Amino acid sequence: MGKNTNKVPSISIIVPVYNVEKYLKKCIDSILDQSFQNFELILVDDGSTDSSGEICDEYALKDRRVLVIHKENGGLSSARNEGIKASSAEYVGFVDSDDYISFSMYEFLYNNLIENNAEISICGLYNCYENNVYPQYSKKEFYLLNNEQALKMALEGKVFSVHAANKLYRKSLFEDVLFPINKLSEDAFTIPKLLLKSRRVVVNTVPLYFYVHRSGTITTSSYKKKDLDVIEAYFQNLKLVEENCPKLKKEAEFRLLWAFMCVLDKMIMTDDFSDFEKYKKILKTLKKNKTKILLNSCFSLHRKIGMVCLFLNDKLYKALIRYNHKRNMSLVN
């Protein structure tokens, strides 16, 4: 375990680490090379079975800002929560261990947060595929939002999403909100609650976080039962909206139906898929809500065309999804 003996850091940067020896050094180096230097880096080794834990220890010996926690494997949420618990700064940020960041990202986020007296600061991100890199949102825009405006923007998912890692948070937001254990789509369970707790959220869409899409990761893997967690997350968010800001019901319903579509797409793309009862239930839900989907302005034209295909003929929709999947995988591989 490395120990930070410098002055109290302004930012705690938390990196959950699990079997990422091939990518970890690039991630850590991008953090240690930040133009903003008053931070602690908390590497949470979540029971890695490769050399990831040793790599963490090597960095702790070289740099006093690095703190290493070794723990039994408990998943991404468990590792992030341990990092929050161990953090000593007023502000916390997260970086996934197979991603990397621009040298100015935390200076950018911190200055925006302090200058605008905000609880959460957000920057843009790049989607990084092996054969292509492009910004999640192509326009350079600045927003100063209240909690309801920020939640609306997150649910729409155009300017920014619920991704946890391209953000800086006031640590006190996590006093009664943590990442859920044993859930996929943990960000979808957590970030909307944090946005709703915030008085002020600052967004500057300059892309400074590099989100790496790899074949076989959660975002590109075949369907498994845990993928249903994303539906549960957005059911919870719909309830959160209904109880706290009912004006956002259209956006919350959009995101819930989007979650059903994402799970359906994964089912279709899995060759040995056999959970036909779940498939029929999801199909029934989407067909029942076809009018809402077609009239909801949050859905893209591409999605609406896909839904028309689904309503007309399941096989036509499958062919469309398989074509799009093949095109997207050509970016990853």
Side-chain angles (χ1 to χ4, degrees):
M1 179 179 288
K3 189 74 174 176
N4 188 340
T5 58
N6 296 331
K7 63 181 179 178
V8 176
S10 298
I11 299 173
S12 297
I13 303 170
I14 299 163
V15 180
V17 175
Y18 180 71
N19 289 357
V20 283
E21 60 184 6
K22 184 177 177 182
Y23 312 97
L24 185 56
K25 289 184 179 181
K26 183 174 184 177
C27 174
I28 295 175
D29 287 341
S30 75
I31 296 170
L32 296 179
D33 289 340
Q34 287 293 289
S35 57
F36 185 97
Q37 287 288 295
N38 186 27
F39 64 85
E40 64 179 357
L41 172 57
I42 303 175
L43 302 173
V44 186
D45 172 29
D46 191 38
S48 296
T49 56
D50 64 2
S51 65
S52 295
E54 289 80 1
I55 292 171
C56 292
D57 290 335
E58 289 171 11
Y59 276 94
L61 292 173
K62 293 187 293 185
D63 195 313
R64 290 182 176 180
R65 295 172 296 172
V66 179
L67 169 70
V68 180
I69 299 170
H70 296 285
K71 61 183 286 294
E72 291 184 3
N73 181 252
L76 178 63
S77 290
S78 172
R80 282 181 179 166
N81 292 342
E82 283 294 321
I84 295 168
K85 183 179 177 182
S87 63
S88 59
E90 185 176 359
Y91 304 102
V92 297
F94 305 96
V95 178
D96 291 341
S97 53
D98 49 359
D99 296 339
Y100 57 99
I101 61 177
S102 165
F103 80 99
S104 62
M105 187 181 93
Y106 277 107
E107 181 179 15
F108 184 84
L109 290 172
Y110 182 80
N111 287 344
N112 279 341
L113 189 146
I114 298 300
E115 290 169 8
N116 294 283
N117 190 26
E119 281 79 39
I120 300 177
S121 178
I122 302 172
C123 68
L125 61 79
Y126 286 104
N127 285 301
C128 302
Y129 297 91
E130 187 171 329
N131 300 317
N132 196 14
V133 176
Y134 63 91
Q136 180 189 56
Y137 187 69
S138 60
K139 299 177 183 178
K140 304 291 175 64
E141 296 175 346
F142 177 89
Y143 299 92
L144 192 56
L145 309 169
N146 63 29
N147 58 350
E148 190 169 307
Q149 291 168 329
L151 181 55
K152 180 179 187 292
M153 200 169 277
L155 291 171
E156 289 172 340
K158 295 175 183 176
V159 177
F160 71 90
S161 69
V162 297
H163 191 50
N166 60 328
K167 300 172 177 64
L168 184 64
Y169 312 82
R170 187 181 292 276
K171 183 184 173 182
S172 58
L173 292 173
F174 291 94
E175 286 176 359
D176 58 355
V177 176
L178 290 173
F179 292 94
I181 305 300
N182 295 325
K183 296 289 185 184
L184 291 184
S185 303
E186 53 282 309
D187 293 350
F189 282 95
T190 309
I191 304 306
K193 294 175 184 175
L194 297 175
L195 292 171
L196 200 57
K197 284 187 68 178
S198 303
R199 287 184 308 105
R200 189 175 293 184
V201 176
V202 59
V203 181
N204 192 321
T205 63
V206 173
L208 298 170
Y209 187 94
F210 294 84
Y211 179 33
V212 179
H213 297 259
R214 294 185 288 115
S215 180
T217 59
I218 290 171
T219 53
T220 59
S221 59
S222 298
Y223 170 80
K224 48 192 171 300
K225 194 173 182 180
K226 293 293 288 179
D227 287 320
L228 295 169
D229 288 351
V230 70
I231 295 175
E232 179 186 347
Y234 283 111
F235 262 125
Q236 286 190 15
N237 289 329
L238 176 59
K239 185 177 180 181
L240 188 74
V241 162
E242 288 174 338
E243 293 174 352
N244 295 280
C245 41
K247 287 192 295 184
L248 301 185
K249 189 173 180 180
K250 181 185 76 171
E251 289 80 9
E253 287 180 339
F254 153 69
R255 191 51 70 180
L256 175 58
L257 291 169
W258 169 90
F260 275 100
M261 292 176 191
C262 288
V263 175
L264 181 70
D265 293 353
K266 280 205 165 193
M267 288 175 170
I268 287 172
M269 290 310 307
T270 303
D271 291 335
D272 59 350
F273 175 72
S274 59
D275 194 354
F276 293 107
E277 284 305 310
K278 280 290 185 218
Y279 175 81
K280 289 176 184 176
K281 286 182 180 179
I282 289 175
L283 203 60
K284 183 178 178 181
T285 299
L286 290 173
K287 289 185 175 182
K288 180 181 177 183
N289 287 279
K290 62 182 179 182
T291 303
K292 279 185 180 179
I293 292 169
L294 295 176
L295 294 180
N296 192 317
S297 60
C298 297
F299 281 102
S300 66
L301 178 61
H302 175 79
R303 269 295 180 189
K304 289 181 179 180
I305 291 171
M307 285 300 102
V308 170
C309 292
L310 179 66
F311 306 146
L312 293 175
N313 187 299
D314 295 1
K315 291 181 180 178
L316 183 61
Y317 181 74
K318 288 181 181 181
L320 180 65
I321 294 303
R322 287 184 178 273
Y323 168 78
N324 286 333
H325 180 77
K326 185 180 290 187
R327 184 184 61 183
N328 291 338
M329 288 306 294
S330 69
L331 297 175
V332 179
N333 296 316

